[in-house]
Structure formats: C-alpha cells, structure tokens
C-alpha cells in the first residue's frame, strides 16, 4: 500500500502541542502550540498564535496568517473548503483555562475570522468533519461537574453549534 515514507522537517520554532491537520488534498497545517521555556521550573507555557502550512516540494513550513487567539492543543478541521481551529487552552490569569472559541480560516484570502463559540470550553477533545458538519467529541473541561461525554456538531447554519445527545453503541 505505502511505497515510501517521507520525513518532514521539524515544526518551526520548536513548537509543541500544536493543532495539526492533513487535508484530503494532502496539505498539512499546524496551528498554535507553545515554545519550550528556558526555565526547567516553568510549567505554564505561553500560547502561540502561529499558523503554518507544509510545502512538500521544499520540505519546509510556510508561515500563514496567525490565529486571532493564541491557543495550545487546539483541534483543526477542514470543512466546506475552510479550516477551523476549535478550543484548546491558555495559561492566563488564574492558571490553565480551556477555550470555547472557534476560528475559521479562508485559504484563498489567508485570513482568520471568529465564528460562534462551542457550547462549552474544551481541551483534549477530538473533532472531525462528516458530511459538511464538524463533530466535536469527548474532551476535558475545567469544571469537573460537566459531563465529559458531550457531543455537539456545527450545523449547516454558519457558526452555530448544537448539542447532540450521547448515543449508545452495541459492540459485538
């Protein structure tokens, strides 16, 4: 099936915990993350707003328009010809804060716009596109009282997220 394995160059600026996406056209994008601190005692990382696209021919990363909101560990999804950055976290004010903000990237115009937020702030979640909808699954919220089995999706109406009831799956 696979004839060759290619090694990509390292992410720029030693970025860690980036959102990553490989589109159906084999384009690779990374967003956000953090740069390691020189201090070994620092555990609160400064979120970055960097956004990069991998150029296969030159084995290098090309910088694109930065995210509107710096974020660590966001999820990137390709849906209806646009890219979306969902959730993640930052270390600000009183410590670690999950994000519910969502941004939409227009590939042709190389710009991000804010779209409606997710119903709850999430980090360590999963997000996928299926039939022109974005589904966000599981994840972790800052408030332990919330059900971590939340599932919601971006509706066909621009920028609207709806809660979807969890379903049971019968496993054979």
């Amino acid at each position: 099936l696979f004839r060759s394995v290619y090694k990509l160059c390292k992410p720029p600026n030693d970025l860690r915990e980036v959102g990553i996406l490989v589109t159906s056209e084999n384009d690779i994008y990374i967003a956000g993350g953090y740069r390691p601190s020189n201090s070994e005692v620092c555990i609160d990382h400064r979120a970055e707003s960097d956004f990069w696209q991998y150029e296969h021919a030159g084995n290098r990363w090309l910088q694109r328009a930065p995210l509107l909101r710096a974020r660590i560990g966001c999820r990137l999804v390709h849906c209806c010809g646009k890219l979306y950055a969902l959730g993640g976290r930052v270390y600000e004010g009183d410590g670690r804060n999950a994000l519910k903000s969502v941004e939409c990237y227009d590939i042709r115009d190389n710009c991000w716009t804010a779209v409606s937020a997710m119903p709850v702030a999430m980090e360590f979640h999963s997000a996928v596109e299926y039939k022109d909808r974005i589904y966000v699954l599981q994840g972790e919220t800052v408030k332990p009282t919330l059900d971590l089995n939340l599932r919601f999706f971006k509706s066909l109406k621009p920028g609207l997220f709806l809660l979807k009831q969890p379903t049971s799956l019968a496993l054979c």
Side-chain angles (χ1 to χ4, degrees), residues 8 20 24 26 35 53 60 66 79 81 84 101 130 133 135 139 141 154 160 162 168 170 172:
L8 304 180
I20 187 164
S24 58
N26 212 25
R35 292 180 178 92
Q53 180 180 9
R60 63 185 178 143
C79 183
Y84 292 84
S101 60
Y130 179 69
R133 289 185 174 179
Y135 290 84
T141 63
K154 182 181 181 306
L160 178 64
L162 303 171
S168 300
C172 298

Side-chain angles (χ1 to χ4, degrees), residues 116-131:
S116 77
M118 297 184 292
V120 294
M122 296 202 98
E123 60 181 310
F124 306 114
H125 52 294
S126 298
V128 296
E129 179 276 339
Y130 179 69
K131 293 188 177 183

